[in-house]
């Protein structure tokens, strides 16, 4: 295990604070500070940056972010057992770590960071990772409260985020991510890096918000992609019926063949469908 600061090794921190991993909180802890530093480096430069970290747990990634110079880390953790460990890190880096005890799904990010944009860096709990990402991708106003996200997901989820039309993993998540961000898988992390080891490989993904995505209502895009990919093997003239608008008019106005299937429609195609859906709904 490498050391990036003179705080105790993570294994000792976990033992001292009795942080026995809980499945219900998606807890798979990283023990190797060299690895947490590699994740943090993907968010560099950090010097003048406020980082939001979701789920710091015993603080391996938190320590890496602080040792690499993040001006301020706001760490949101749901497990109260971790607060003592985080407090020790805060004492080591006075004034730079703000610990928020609570649920990241309920957090008011704008209020937490103030007027400046932040960077989101996290080894996300697998049970709420996708929900958090969708929240951040559909944030308003846009450009959003963050300037970059560096996030760890299960490999299968990472593939769904970066997929392009024609890929097996292409679906709702890829459309939302592709609409508003440029997303890339940076590297994989083997199950053996975690305690307890998950059954599958994880991947670190970088998402950079586009300054000017094609204008579109995020809720409408979610509705349209949900309907289309909910029945992905059906033709759109059938799968979009659940939207309760005139499907032929919708597809015609968006310039999409009624016999096409969701997996054949690229991101601009879905944006066009969402724009026309809003118009038809408001008629
Ligand atoms: C995969 S672990 C990562 C822990 C640590 N960052 C690491 O890399 O070792 C996920 C963390 O998210 C926390 N967590 C789970 N659900 C959460 C939620 N809704 N809001 C905030 N934190 C949450 C868990 O308690 C756990 O500490």
């Amino acid at each position: 295990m490498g050391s990036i600061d003179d705080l105790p090794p993570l294994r000792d921190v976990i033992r001292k604070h009795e942080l026995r991993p809980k499945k219900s909180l998606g807890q798979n802890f990283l023990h190797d500070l060299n690895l947490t530093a590699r994740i943090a480096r993907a968010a560099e430069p950090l010097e003048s940056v406020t980082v939001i970290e979701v789920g710091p747990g015993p603080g391996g990634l938190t320590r890496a972010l602080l040792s690499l110079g993040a001006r301020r880390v706001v760490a949101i953790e749901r497990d109260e057992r971790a607060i003592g460990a985080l407090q020790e890190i805060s004492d080591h880096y006075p004034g730079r770590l703000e610990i928020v005890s609570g649920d990241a799904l309920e957090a008011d990010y704008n209020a937490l960071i103030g007027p400046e944009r932040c960077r989101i860096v996290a080894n996300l709990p697998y049970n709420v990772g996708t929900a958090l990402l969708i929240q951040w991708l559909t944030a308003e106003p846009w450009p959003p409260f963050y300037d970059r996200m560096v996030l760890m997901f299960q490999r299968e989820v990472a593939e769904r985020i970066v997929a392009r039309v024609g890929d097996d993993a292409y679906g709702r998540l890829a459309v939302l991510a592709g609409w508003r961000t440029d997303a890339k898988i940076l590297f994989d992390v083997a199950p053996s890096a975690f305690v307890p080891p998950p059954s599958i490989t994880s991947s670190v993904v970088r998402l950079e918000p586009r300054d000017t995505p094609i204008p579109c209502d995020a809720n409408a895009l979610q509705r349209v992609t949900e309907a289309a990919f909910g029945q992905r093997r059906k033709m759109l003239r059938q799968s979009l019926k659940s939207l309760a608008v005139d499907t032929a008019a919708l597809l015609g106005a968006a310039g999409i063949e009624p016999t096409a299937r969701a997996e054949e429609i690229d991101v601009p195609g879905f944006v066009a469908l969402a724009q026309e859906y809003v118009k038809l709904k408001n008629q």
Side-chain angles (χ1 to χ4, degrees), residues 14-31:
I14 288 167
R15 196 177 307 125
K16 176 177 168 191
H17 294 276
E18 298 180 10
L19 283 170
R20 198 172 29 80
K22 283 190 185 171
K23 203 173 174 190
S24 60
L25 286 171
Q27 291 183 334
N28 299 92
F29 297 136
L30 292 169
H31 276 209

Side-chain angles (χ1 to χ4, degrees), residues 86-104:
L86 296 168
Q87 192 54 54
E88 286 173 7
I89 302 171
S90 177
D91 295 343
H92 192 77
Y93 293 97
R96 290 174 58 201
L97 174 59
E98 195 176 316
I99 305 160
V100 179
S101 180
D103 184 346

Side-chain angles (χ1 to χ4, degrees), residues 197-273:
S199 52
I200 44 172
T201 298
S202 300
S203 302
V204 174
V205 182
R206 183 186 63 208
L207 298 105
E208 296 193 318
R210 299 186 197 286
D211 287 337
T212 50
I214 318 170
C216 174
D217 178 272
N219 290 325
L221 187 59
Q222 288 208 75
R223 281 285 293 122
V224 166
T225 50
E226 250 166 40
F229 287 105
Q231 296 182 293
R232 60 189 298 144
R233 309 226 177 276
K234 297 219 165 118
M235 293 177 193
L236 289 169
R237 69 178 175 208
Q238 177 64 30
S239 59
L240 295 184
K241 275 188 179 159
S242 61
L243 294 175
V245 294
D246 179 340
T247 313
L250 172 63
L251 288 161
I256 290 173
E257 288 296 325
T259 52
R261 291 177 168 77
E263 61 204 14
E264 298 161 1
I265 307 300
D266 62 9
V267 173
F270 273 110
V271 170
L273 275 172

Side-chain angles (χ1 to χ4, degrees), residues 9-268:
L10 280 164
R11 193 187 293 126
D12 296 351
V13 172
I14 288 167
R15 196 177 307 125
K16 176 177 168 191
H17 294 276
E18 298 180 10
L19 283 170
R20 198 172 29 80
K22 283 190 185 171
K23 203 173 174 190
S24 60
L25 286 171
Q27 291 183 334
N28 299 92
F29 297 136
L30 292 169
H31 276 209
D32 182 352
L33 289 164
N34 287 319
L35 179 57
T36 60
R38 188 172 177 210
I39 299 167
R41 275 199 298 276
E44 283 186 321
L46 288 163
E47 280 71 23
S48 56
V49 173
T50 292
V51 176
I52 294 265
E53 186 193 357
V54 167
L61 183 53
T62 321
R63 283 164 62 171
L65 291 163
L66 289 163
S67 82
L68 286 172
R71 191 187 62 194
R72 179 175 163 236
V73 176
V74 179
I76 309 170
E77 175 55 64
R78 196 171 171 185
D79 187 350
E80 289 187 359
R81 299 176 309 158
I83 304 300
L86 296 168
Q87 192 54 54
E88 286 173 7
I89 302 171
S90 177
D91 295 343
H92 192 77
Y93 293 97
R96 290 174 58 201
L97 174 59
E98 195 176 316
I99 305 160
V100 179
S101 180
D103 184 346
L105 283 166
E106 307 291 328
D108 178 349
Y109 292 92
N110 288 308
L112 285 175
I113 56 167
E116 283 168 50
R117 290 176 87 185
C118 70
R119 209 155 287 167
I120 306 178
V121 186
N123 170 15
L124 289 173
Y126 68 87
N127 43 357
V128 289
T130 311
L132 283 167
L133 178 65
I134 289 176
Q135 245 190 41
W136 297 330
L137 289 173
T138 56
E140 297 296 347
W142 198 269
F145 61 91
Y146 54 87
D147 67 359
R148 193 190 312 169
M149 301 192 272
V150 174
L151 305 173
M152 178 129 67
F153 294 96
Q154 295 165 308
R155 171 87 202 179
E156 169 266 325
V157 177
E159 282 170 358
R160 288 200 281 124
I161 294 167
V162 304
R164 301 285 162 90
V165 65
D167 294 345
D168 286 347
Y170 184 66
R172 178 169 159 246
L173 206 47
V175 174
L176 283 180
W179 166 48
R180 275 187 156 177
T181 70
D182 185 15
K184 188 172 186 275
I185 294 181
L186 297 182
F187 54 88
D188 288 342
V189 179
S192 56
F194 301 87
V195 177
S199 52
I200 44 172
T201 298
S202 300
S203 302
V204 174
V205 182
R206 183 186 63 208
L207 298 105
E208 296 193 318
R210 299 186 197 286
D211 287 337
T212 50
I214 318 170
C216 174
D217 178 272
N219 290 325
L221 187 59
Q222 288 208 75
R223 281 285 293 122
V224 166
T225 50
E226 250 166 40
F229 287 105
Q231 296 182 293
R232 60 189 298 144
R233 309 226 177 276
K234 297 219 165 118
M235 293 177 193
L236 289 169
R237 69 178 175 208
Q238 177 64 30
S239 59
L240 295 184
K241 275 188 179 159
S242 61
L243 294 175
V245 294
D246 179 340
T247 313
L250 172 63
L251 288 161
I256 290 173
E257 288 296 325
T259 52
R261 291 177 168 77
E263 61 204 14
E264 298 161 1
I265 307 300
D266 62 9
V267 173

